[in-house]
Amino acid sequence: PPLRLDISYIDQDLGGASPDRLMLAFFDEAHGAWSFDGFTSQPEPATHHLIAYLSHLTRMRITARGPDSDFVFMPLVKR
């Protein structure tokens, strides 16, 4: 079964990105690019959470789909 990852955030973490466009990506070492294969993301803006279902653990980052279908990478947040 997939692993469920629940990520909470505050509006300031998003750098102006729309919370309903959040997605989780992983770095595909074999192709040298960020990918979404095997990940399913479900933004929940009302509760300030991004729920993701993963097929594996790896280096990940939160992104947001832009208005023209490009992706915006979120700023680094340390707490």
Side-chain angles (χ1 to χ4, degrees), residues 21 66-71:
R21 295 175 175 264
D68 57 0
S69 295
D70 287 337
F71 292 93

Side-chain angles (χ1 to χ4, degrees), residues 30-41:
H31 293 99
W34 291 96
S35 176
F36 304 95
D37 293 341
F39 284 19
T40 302
S41 299

Side-chain angles (χ1 to χ4, degrees), residues 24-79:
L24 192 68
F26 75 93
F27 190 74
D28 184 337
E29 304 268 343
H31 293 99
W34 291 96
S35 176
F36 304 95
D37 293 341
F39 284 19
T40 302
S41 299
Q42 177 182 337
E44 296 185 354
T47 61
H48 291 86
H49 283 255
L50 172 63
I51 308 299
Y53 296 92
L54 319 175
S55 59
H56 61 282
L57 294 176
T58 186
R59 182 170 36 159
M60 296 173 267
R61 79 181 308 163
I62 298 172
T63 67
R65 185 177 293 278
D68 57 0
S69 295
D70 287 337
F71 292 93
V72 177
F73 293 100
M74 300 292 97
L76 175 65
V77 176
K78 292 183 181 179
R79 291 191 202 173

